[in-house]
Amino acid sequence: MSKTLSQLGEFGLIDRLKKLLPQEGGCLLGIGDDTAVLPYTKDKYQLLTTDMLAQDVHFTRRMDARAIGHKALAVNISDIAAMGGVPTFAVVSIGLPKTTPVRFVEDVYKGMTALAGQFNVSIVGGDTIKSDKIVINVALLGEVKKKHLVTRAGAKPKDWIFVTGPLGGSLKSGRHLNFIPCVEQARFLVKNYKPSAMMDISDGLAGDLNHILSAAKVGAQLIEDAIPRHKGTTLNQAMTDGEDFELLFTIPMAKAMKLMDWQADHKAFYFYPIGEITADAKQRIYAKGFTHF
Ligand code: ADP
Ligand code: MG
């Protein structure tokens, strides 16, 4: 009998689907990073990503419609940021029950366009269908200079591991609905301190760090006390809560120390060092005192 999705899991399913999708058309990086990386101009790549939100899975009808629209675009912009790129053009598809108030849909779009304006994203089309519950899908293009592209696979032993901000409690606090994607931070980093690997934290630090470790076949040691957490959240929540959308990145040690020097006298951004990459790929997320998570 065929396995069900709950037996296989999300990532198990994606692995199975990957086998059915031969990589064609000169795609440089397909399934497995924050965005696909496509051929573009002589010195730039095009980036393509998509994310879908569904009613009662990612949001409820009681939530602010503008915030839902904001989030639907923000999660996509966050994936473009994670590659070191800038977002450019989006298409938006929505599925709506017949009873949906028009005002609700307009408010979703107002939330989206406010954020789009902030990041110079143009929404250039989409699709509309009838469905039992509300679904919103955004597909977003971006671009990045070839020399600025950062994937998940480049982490090397002794690289320092950083995050862009405090973690934990995003869903409970509502931050997941109004976060600003870290494009500026990522652009600053790729221009000045070129990270060796980067991704956005959507599923929780522990799980997402594992994606970088698997892609680069390395391990990591985290310093428990250095992991920045939001007020009122435990270390465990900071490690495992999803939807923070901070960036997780690694930088070779010498450059990491320069970054620390820079941020000692500049207030524009603060990047939190939380540990280092190790050569032993079996060493996964040990913390202070080598207690295992
Ligand atoms: P993110 O959280 O960064 O948006 P996901 O965890 O959703 O990334 O997806 C992981 C990878 O799997 C990405 O490269 C994405 O493009 C790919 N992927 C997810 N779902 C599908 C699907 N249904 N078909 C093909 N590729 C998929
Ligand atoms: Mg991502």
Side-chain angles (χ1 to χ4, degrees):
M1 213 174 73
S2 175
K3 268 192 190 174
T4 64
L5 292 186
S6 65
Q7 290 168 319
L8 196 56
E10 179 190 344
F11 292 111
L13 174 68
I14 294 171
D15 272 348
R16 291 268 287 258
L17 297 179
K18 195 172 169 177
K19 297 199 180 91
L20 299 174
L21 303 170
Q23 200 162 297
E24 281 168 5
C27 168
L28 293 138
L29 194 55
I31 295 172
D33 218 304
D34 290 282
T35 77
V37 179
L38 309 173
Y40 194 33
T41 67
K42 195 164 136 262
D43 64 341
K44 280 181 182 173
Y45 295 120
Q46 188 153 63
L47 306 172
L48 176 58
T49 187
T50 186
D51 259 296
M52 181 155 52
L53 302 186
Q55 182 185 350
D56 300 334
V57 181
H58 302 94
F59 64 87
T60 64
R61 273 296 311 277
R62 287 156 167 239
M63 290 176 179
D64 175 29
R66 284 182 193 234
I68 295 166
H70 173 102
K71 178 174 180 176
L73 181 59
V75 293
N76 284 281
I77 295 178
S78 179
D79 279 324
I80 300 282
M83 307 303 282
V86 290
T88 54
F89 296 99
V91 288
V92 178
S93 299
I94 45 174
L96 300 165
K98 273 187 186 164
T99 52
T100 314
V102 176
R103 165 71 75 75
F104 181 91
V105 186
E106 284 177 340
D107 283 347
V108 167
Y109 271 70
K110 283 179 187 166
M112 241 174 337
T113 53
L115 186 69
Q118 204 174 322
F119 285 97
N120 284 321
V121 171
S122 306
I123 298 172
V124 293
D127 193 23
T128 308
I129 60 161
K130 182 174 72 132
S131 63
D132 293 339
K133 290 194 176 184
I134 301 171
V135 287
I136 307 169
N137 178 258
V138 175
L140 178 64
L141 287 173
E143 57 179 57
V144 62
K145 279 198 179 143
K146 288 181 179 177
K147 65 177 183 186
H148 290 156
L149 178 75
V150 186
T151 69
R152 295 178 179 182
K156 296 268 176 346
K158 297 213 155 55
D159 287 1
W160 287 21
I161 305 167
F162 289 84
V163 291
T164 47
L167 306 172
S170 178
L171 287 170
K172 248 192 225 153
S173 65
R175 268 191 302 278
H176 70 108
L177 283 171
N178 54 31
F179 76 95
I180 301 294
C182 297
V183 177
E184 268 191 72
Q185 291 93 322
R187 298 295 294 161
F188 169 82
L189 289 168
V190 297
K191 287 178 192 167
N192 298 290
Y193 297 93
K194 187 71 196 287
S196 45
M198 187 151 67
M199 68 180 298
D200 66 339
I201 304 177
S202 49
D203 298 335
L205 173 61
D208 283 338
L209 178 58
N210 275 332
H211 291 309
I212 287 185
L213 303 184
S214 308
K217 300 187 175 62
V218 290
Q221 193 172 331
L222 295 187
I223 308 156
E224 214 170 83
D225 296 339
I227 296 167
R229 354 200 266 246
H230 276 290
K231 261 210 182 112
T233 56
T234 62
L235 176 66
N236 194 49
Q237 288 169 321
M239 291 295 295
T240 57
D241 280 359
E243 311 248 325
D244 278 307
F245 299 104
E246 297 293 345
L247 296 176
L248 168 67
F249 59 97
T250 59
I251 299 192
M253 185 169 45
K255 271 198 230 162
M257 285 160 75
K258 282 193 183 140
L259 175 59
M260 294 305 289
D261 279 348
W262 177 86
Q263 64 184 13
D265 339 301
H266 294 79
K267 296 270 175 287
F269 306 114
Y270 189 80
F271 303 104
Y272 298 79
I274 59 166
E276 74 170 10
I277 297 291
T278 61
D280 180 2
K282 291 189 296 298
Q283 184 171 36
R284 290 279 167 104
I285 316 176
Y286 288 74
K288 195 182 71 181
F290 294 92
T291 45
H292 208 148
F293 281 97

